[in-house]
Each structure stands twice: as structure tokens, then as C-alpha cells.
Amino acid sequence: MATSPESLCCFCPLPFRYFVDSVVNLKFDEEPNYAQYISFFDDILGPNPDVRPLITKGAQELIQVGLKRGRLSLDEGEDGQPIKRVHIGMPATQWISVYNGRHPMKQRYHYNMTDSRLAQHIEKGDEDDLFISAVSSYQNLWAVIMDAGTGFTCQIYELSLYFLHKEWIMEQWENNYYINALARVQNGSSLVVVSKGTTYVQQSYKVSNSFPFKWINKKWRGGDLNMVTEQGWFTYGTICV
């Protein structure tokens, strides 16, 4: 494609650029992720999922997820009339950056990346002997920090449609890889990074619908420390080492 997505969509809202970028980078035999494409336009379609103009299997699945996000419960008020309570999860709407003082080292960051752009930036970092030290997300976009000061000797990652893919993680633990970074985007996909050369000797994780403070306290009493907690729609993923 001679015209870049940035140029083609320069006068359009950002979701159009993300959509075009994802589509033009599809491989010939790659299955389109329709639910993800539709989710790009969440912010400009309005709050009512029933007015979505695309009626596909992916759209219907996304609608069902949207309906689950808003849950109604009825309580009686002082006058005996039912009171509606609406519980709606809201995603983060900003990038949050933290800087730490340390000795100078080579470091690189990438942000606002779609799934299709993620692999090429990570591969370029590998060629320059950089390892992923942190990952984050905003809506359906990724941010990755890579640097030369991690002490890691080997690193792999998985971009999965499942939040903390258990079978894959267990397989990597058997090969002496440990999770050092993870994030989840709005459409449910997760990025899990595992590395060799960490200081960890054991690792465990828990996926829960509420913050697992009791589980963390139990791990603390056993000598484990909480490394990272990632929050998705009504779901927490917590890693202890």
C-alpha cells in the first residue's frame, strides 16, 4: 500500500487510522479480528451498543460483553419504590508514566501500537539487544518499554485472546521462564512477557473478579511478594513471586 494509514486517515478520528492500520497489515491467511475492529470505534459510536451499524458474529459478541458491563440491581427506597443501581466498569482514559532515577542505559519506548505493529517493534528491539521491561495499554492500544539494563538473558511473549493463558504460562514456567510484564486491552486480548535471567525462583498468579487482597496477604506470610497487578473489565490478574 503506497499511502500510509497515517496519511490516508489524517483528517479522520483516530479509530479510523487504527482500523486501516490493522487491516492493511493482515496476512493473507490471517483471520480478521472483527470484535477488535469494532471496538476501535467505541468512543465515537456512543454508549448504546444496540445502535452499532455492523451486525456480525464479532459485533454480537461485543454487544453481549457491553451488556454485561452495565448491571442493574433493584433496592427499595424509603417510599417503598424500587431504586435502580447501575454498576458500570470504566477503562483508564489516560497514559500514566513513572520515571525512576538510575544509571544511564539504553532504553526505548513505543506507544499507541495496534496488535499488528507490536511484533515488528519488539523484533527490532531484540536485534538491538533490548528486552521488554514494562508493558501497558490504553483502550485497544499497547505501550512497551525496552531497555538494556534488565539483566535478562532470554525473553519471549504471547499476545493472546485470553487473559493470562494458563497452558502457555505453565509451559514457560517448566522452561524456567518467569512473567516480568503483562497488560490487557479493552477487547480482552492480553500481552504476557516471560524472561530468563530474572531473580525469581518461584511464581504464582491469580485471576479474580475482585482485588485479591486476602490471597496477597497469604502469599506475603509465605514470603512471596506481589510483583504486578493488571486490571481488565471486572477482572484482576495478580502475580506473586
Side-chain angles (χ1 to χ4, degrees):
M1 182 174 176
T3 305
S4 68
E6 290 81 2
S7 300
L8 184 65
C9 304
C10 61
F11 298 111
C12 300
L14 279 177
F16 288 90
R17 194 184 81 185
Y18 303 148
F19 171 73
V20 173
D21 182 70
S22 298
V23 171
V24 299
N25 283 285
L26 273 174
K27 297 178 181 178
F28 178 77
D29 57 348
E30 186 177 352
E31 182 72 21
N33 190 340
Y34 295 111
Q36 182 190 58
Y37 301 157
I38 295 169
S39 68
F40 289 156
F41 299 91
D42 278 347
D43 289 342
I44 60 176
L45 281 178
N48 183 5
D50 295 326
V51 301
R52 295 182 185 275
L54 301 178
I55 306 301
T56 65
K57 179 181 178 181
Q60 293 300 322
E61 291 175 352
L62 202 61
I63 289 173
Q64 293 303 316
V65 172
L67 293 176
K68 291 178 181 178
R69 292 175 186 169
R71 301 180 180 179
L72 298 179
S73 61
L74 297 178
D75 289 332
E76 290 188 355
E78 295 179 355
D79 57 356
Q81 297 297 317
I83 300 175
K84 289 184 178 180
R85 292 184 178 179
V86 181
H87 304 280
I88 300 178
M90 296 297 292
T93 57
Q94 297 174 315
W95 288 111
I96 301 173
S97 301
V98 178
Y99 291 85
N100 297 315
R102 60 182 301 169
H103 297 297
M105 66 176 180
K106 186 177 181 180
Q107 190 173 65
R108 182 181 301 164
Y109 68 88
H110 304 282
Y111 66 99
N112 285 354
M113 293 185 295
T114 59
D115 291 353
S116 58
R117 293 287 188 185
L118 188 63
Q120 67 184 67
H121 287 302
I122 293 177
E123 289 173 4
K124 183 62 171 63
D126 288 342
E127 294 173 0
D128 296 334
D129 296 323
L130 300 178
F131 291 98
I132 299 172
S133 57
V135 296
S136 186
S137 64
Y138 164 64
Q139 294 187 349
N140 291 308
L141 301 173
W142 301 103
V144 173
I145 296 176
M146 306 184 73
D147 63 61
T150 61
F152 301 150
T153 58
C154 191
Q155 188 175 77
I156 56 177
Y157 71 93
E158 183 189 52
L159 181 60
S160 172
L161 296 177
Y162 306 99
F163 185 42
L164 290 175
H165 186 188
K166 180 179 179 180
E167 288 75 14
W168 185 83
I169 292 174
M170 297 291 288
E171 180 183 348
Q172 305 316 316
W173 280 347
E174 291 178 358
N175 295 324
N176 296 318
Y177 284 90
Y178 293 98
I179 300 171
N180 70 279
L182 68 96
R184 183 186 189 183
V185 289
Q186 185 173 314
N187 64 25
S189 298
S190 65
L191 174 63
V192 180
V193 183
V194 296
S195 303
K196 286 185 177 181
T198 69
T199 57
Y200 315 140
V201 295
Q202 188 176 356
Q203 194 171 65
S204 58
Y205 77 90
K206 182 178 180 65
V207 177
S208 56
N209 293 326
S210 59
F211 191 78
F213 61 91
K214 291 184 178 179
W215 182 78
I216 292 175
N217 287 334
K218 179 180 178 180
K219 290 295 181 180
W220 279 350
R221 290 194 296 270
D224 294 340
L225 298 177
N226 176 230
M227 183 188 76
V228 63
T229 297
E230 174 65 20
Q231 190 262 339
W233 287 104
F234 301 110
T235 307
Y236 290 88
T238 305
I239 311 295
C240 282
V241 295

